[in-house]
Amino acid sequence: MRPFPRDLVEARTSLLFGYEVADHPDRGLYLTPTGALTHSRNSLATAWDSRGGLTQVLAHQARLESFGGVAGRPLEGAATNLCLRSENFGTTWAAIGTPTRVAAAKRAGMLVLDLLGDDAAGNLEGYSQAVTFTANAVKAVAVYIAQGTSTSSVVRLRDTSAAANRLLATITWSGGVPSVAMTTGTLIGVENGGGGVFRVLLQTSSVTSANTNQLEIYPATTSALVTTGTGTLYVGGVQAENALWPGSYLPTTSATVARVADVLTSSLLVDPQDCTVLFTSRRPTWADVSGALGAHQYALSWGASGARFALYGDASARNLVASLHDGSGAQTVSAAIPAGDIACAVQLTGFPDAPTVRLDVGGGFSSWSTATARIASWGSTLLALGDNAAAAGTPWNGSGRIWRVLPGLLTLSEALGRR
Amino acid sequence: MTDFWINDRPNDELGFILCEPFQGWVRVPTLQPGASTPVGWYGQRPSAVGATAGSRQLTLGVVHASGYTLGTRRAAVDALLAACQGEVQIRISDAPDRYVKAILTEGSAQAVQLSLVYPELIIPLQFLASDPLYYAVQPEIVALPPQTAVRVPWGGAPTVGLVHIMGITTSTILRTRNRAGAVVGELTLTGTTGASEYVALETEHHRIQRITGSTPTVVDAYSWKGSTDRFPVWGDGDTVELTGATTYGTLFARKAYLT
């Protein structure tokens, strides 16, 4: 465990707790009055830089990203990239036809993209690699691309055993921006970090893990896989995961690469009282995934047991949920995740005899929750940012920006302006 | 221009609004040829960079925002002046993405109009910014791949920043080139950076720290070689690169602005 690798700056503040990365590195952290911030993640990790490229950090090192010109702090769960040679189509990948390839033709920070080309109007050309998934389920695929000369390209996951497509995404370009049409599978989104490099986030249909599932990239063809197309596409950073949606990129070479969960915690030695919790985040990928997520996505939680509070994205519906737990049961309120980035204020009041909670995600406060049983003290002082203090390992899976706990009941705009 | 922030605290939280135009905020600082030219900087440069720093005089005329009594407004003034103690970072609403560092030089209670006839309480706060440059609030985060020259962000005045250097390496050089590709400055780290540690190099404060192990160990374990080595201050069009095939890093660049 180590602190954020920057100076801790004393701020004259009325905060009970505050952590914010939307600042320059000298002032990236505001002190909690009762405990240091600690972070661990015993593996490498990556994030977007300001230019649409990739930065990579060492194990345990705090990860900052810049997306849309705003800094954020990615906090994610464990993940493994199953695709080998994620940035090198010259090895492990099998050629389909006789594609052209310019190795490392484009750099985007630490990311390297090969320029793949189809120069034969009569043949379908590209690259393929069999990916070994576990369990029959929907899987996540992501790929970084940049525009070449091709007008239409295809990413496909082919079950060669069953002769069926599990994913077929067709990429076309307009004004320098990719448009992705799905024949099979689901498009979660296209991330534009700037600099002309985009990350396409995809979901397959349910794969049969015992079969051979082959990931295929065709630089110049259509959804009908016509053989007449020619042209080039920059491709790199291919990722395939046993997950419902792709996490941040994990570069691979000869073997799969795993990332363990980020753990960012502090302690908050404050009695239950009227207070407002503020949380802001870049829109997480899972906010655009339909169906069940498998687990709640925790933005902040306070207390590891007994009486505790948590704010999370709901596993079954795309709602933000504020949960106040009295030790034997929880009362919750929720609101649908709005479009765009997330800013949420949660008010807690009524301590100790009739504690209640309500939240605002930008459309006004919800109704107050039903009051819980008496809460005279919190079950523990553990404050987990982007995770569940009561059951670590259910992280936010997104890029948080501001976490604040402020005294008194404030509106969302007041909480955003208060430091 | 109606809002301002002092140490990121908005004026409404401080209990004051603006009643007079800001003064001194958009003046371009005095330029003079550099006596000791920073790395990568050629031609004119702000006098703040180097030994002969210029300064910027700033004035905020503020008035108490809401109803008060003599007693409460005095308390409000005290709170405002307390918020201005020491070197503060000030932002104004026409450019909230950048701040200037300044100290309060005039704004004492003598300037307060303690009049019952005029309920407004006008306080001209005069600040002195020894460094006249504005700095970006948001860092630009730029990946530094191995042995790759990367353009340093530029805002109109020399850029400073924090560089994280990682990857197994010995005697890494942080090399700056100008727009023409000529090497204009180098800083060579002594020592070897291991697989699980990284170096945090602050160009502004001339500080190099090594963060090592899985415990929060921060030591000043690095130095630099030779009399020609310098901490970089990046000019327009400069690039930065890390030598060493396995060395990579991240630049947290803080752009500076003249106005």
Side-chain angles (χ1 to χ4, degrees):
Chain A
M1 306 288 269
R2 68 172 15 142
F4 190 80
R6 296 291 312 136
D7 290 348
L8 308 185
V9 178
E10 286 282 2
R12 287 182 290 275
T13 174
S14 57
L15 297 180
L16 299 174
F17 173 85
Y19 174 56
E20 177 173 351
V21 294
D23 227 325
H24 74 74
D26 280 341
R27 297 183 299 145
L29 174 62
Y30 284 76
L31 279 177
T32 161
T34 54
L37 200 65
T38 59
H39 171 250
S40 71
R41 183 203 57 250
N42 195 17
S43 62
L44 295 170
T46 64
W48 284 99
D49 76 3
S50 296
R51 297 174 173 179
L54 207 69
T55 63
Q56 179 170 298
V57 299
L58 293 172
H60 298 302
Q61 191 177 354
R63 186 166 35 147
L64 292 184
E65 71 159 14
S66 179
F67 194 88
V70 181
R73 178 77 155 78
L75 293 167
E76 297 181 284
T80 300
N81 187 0
L82 305 171
C83 180
L84 309 184
R85 307 286 176 186
S86 61
E87 300 177 20
N88 179 4
F89 289 88
T91 306
T92 304
W93 293 85
I96 302 168
T98 54
T100 62
R101 169 176 172 263
V102 179
K106 193 180 192 70
R107 277 196 176 274
M110 295 293 295
L111 179 70
V112 174
L113 294 91
D114 284 358
L115 181 63
L116 306 184
D118 180 340
D119 60 351
N123 293 319
L124 196 59
E125 296 184 326
Y127 284 90
S128 71
Q129 177 183 148
V131 176
T132 305
F133 292 108
T134 53
N136 301 342
V138 168
K139 306 297 180 184
V141 171
V143 58
Y144 288 87
I145 56 171
Q147 188 171 16
T149 61
S150 174
T151 56
S152 178
S153 309
V154 162
V155 176
R156 179 167 81 157
L157 184 72
R158 180 74 171 172
D159 183 335
T160 59
S161 307
N165 293 336
R166 304 305 183 199
L167 173 75
L168 203 164
T170 306
I171 301 162
T172 56
W173 297 83
S174 176
V177 176
S179 174
V180 182
M182 302 304 298
T183 302
T184 307
T186 306
L187 172 68
I188 300 173
V190 178
E191 289 184 340
N192 178 7
V197 176
F198 299 82
R199 191 174 193 224
V200 182
L201 308 170
L202 302 164
Q203 259 186 341
T204 70
S205 61
S206 185
V207 304
T208 303
S209 61
N211 291 355
T212 298
N213 292 287
Q214 182 168 288
L215 193 56
E216 301 170 350
I217 295 175
Y218 298 100
T221 189
T222 64
S223 60
L225 298 177
V226 299
T227 60
T228 52
T230 60
T232 59
L233 178 73
Y234 293 93
V235 186
V238 185
Q239 182 143 323
E241 294 179 49
N242 285 310
L244 283 173
W245 67 92
S248 65
Y249 171 56
L250 288 160
T252 63
T253 54
S254 60
T256 62
V257 171
R259 182 191 61 239
V260 299
D262 292 282
V263 179
L264 185 63
T265 58
S266 186
S267 61
L268 184 50
L269 190 60
V270 174
D271 287 336
Q273 60 184 279
D274 283 7
C275 64
T276 303
V277 175
L278 174 74
F279 172 68
T280 74
S281 171
R282 172 157 84 87
R283 186 174 184 79
T285 303
W286 53 261
D288 296 309
V289 172
S290 59
L293 302 180
H296 296 327
Q297 313 291 312
Y298 279 81
L300 176 146
S301 55
W302 184 2
S305 60
R308 57 193 186 267
F309 165 77
L311 175 67
Y312 57 82
D314 190 76
S316 56
R318 293 307 81 80
N319 291 334
L320 276 182
V321 179
S323 168
L324 193 55
H325 200 295
D326 59 25
S328 59
Q331 296 295 340
T332 62
V333 285
S334 66
I337 294 175
D341 290 347
I342 290 173
C344 176
V346 183
Q347 293 181 340
L348 291 80
T349 191
F351 299 101
D353 291 326
T356 179
V357 63
R358 65 177 183 173
L359 86 167
D360 178 9
V361 294
F365 274 100
S366 66
S367 301
W368 289 103
S369 72
T370 303
T372 69
R374 179 181 172 86
I375 297 178
S377 62
W378 296 111
S380 84
T381 62
L382 180 62
L383 188 71
L385 306 185
D387 201 358
N388 183 5
T394 48
W396 175 243
N397 281 314
S399 184
R401 289 170 177 162
I402 303 173
W403 290 263
R404 291 181 191 147
V405 181
L406 303 121
L409 302 183
L410 303 175
T411 65
L412 177 57
S413 59
E414 284 174 333
L416 282 167
R418 190 69 59 85
R419 285 185 175 183
Chain B
M1 295 202 301
T2 56
D3 297 320
F4 61 89
W5 295 261
I6 295 175
N7 281 344
D8 293 322
R9 297 179 69 183
N11 57 283
D12 58 353
E13 181 189 327
L14 294 167
F16 289 82
I17 60 174
L18 189 75
C19 66
E20 294 174 351
F22 294 125
Q23 294 176 31
W25 299 88
V26 293
R27 180 180 61 81
V28 176
T30 304
L31 298 176
Q32 65 181 38
S36 57
T37 305
V39 172
W41 183 267
Y42 43 97
Q44 298 290 303
R45 65 182 178 87
S47 58
V49 180
T52 56
S55 63
R56 182 190 291 275
Q57 292 276 356
L58 306 166
T59 303
L60 286 172
V62 298
V63 60
H64 198 213
S66 57
Y68 45 79
T69 65
L70 275 174
T72 58
R73 75 180 181 187
R74 183 55 186 261
V77 171
D78 289 345
L80 176 66
L81 296 180
C84 295
Q85 285 182 356
E87 184 180 79
V88 294
Q89 296 179 339
I90 308 173
R91 293 185 287 141
I92 54 177
S93 56
D94 68 337
D97 62 336
R98 59 190 71 169
Y99 66 88
V100 65
K101 295 179 286 189
I103 57 171
L104 183 67
T105 55
E106 183 61 52
S108 64
Q110 285 80 4
V112 176
Q113 298 176 11
L114 293 174
S115 166
L116 291 173
V117 179
Y118 300 101
E120 292 82 8
L121 179 71
I122 299 171
I123 310 171
L125 297 174
Q126 291 185 10
F127 292 92
L128 177 67
S130 299
D131 176 355
L133 301 181
Y134 291 87
Y135 293 98
V137 170
Q138 288 281 353
E140 283 209 21
I141 302 169
V142 182
L144 302 177
Q147 298 177 323
T148 304
V150 175
R151 181 67 57 85
V152 178
W154 171 254
T159 299
V160 294
L162 167 74
V163 185
H164 283 176
I165 302 170
M166 57 203 96
I168 301 170
T169 180
T170 301
S171 298
T172 294
I173 301 172
L174 183 71
R175 179 173 292 152
T176 299
R177 298 177 188 271
N178 65 14
R179 188 190 297 275
V183 176
V184 293
E186 288 186 344
L187 194 152
T188 307
L189 300 175
T190 61
T192 299
T193 306
S196 62
E197 61 187 28
Y198 64 98
V199 172
L201 189 155
E202 292 176 84
T203 67
E204 185 181 18
H205 302 119
H206 292 197
R207 183 164 55 189
I208 305 176
Q209 294 178 313
R210 185 175 66 176
I211 294 88
T212 184
S214 57
T215 53
T217 303
V218 179
V219 293
D220 294 317
Y222 280 73
S223 59
W224 50 96
K225 288 178 175 176
S227 59
T228 60
D229 279 17
R230 285 180 291 185
F231 282 86
V233 177
W234 293 292
D236 189 11
D238 281 359
T239 61
V240 63
E241 66 192 81
L242 293 168
T243 65
T246 59
T247 310
Y248 63 98
T250 305
L251 166 65
F252 299 87
R254 191 139 61 89
K255 291 197 294 192
Y257 307 88
L258 296 173
T259 60

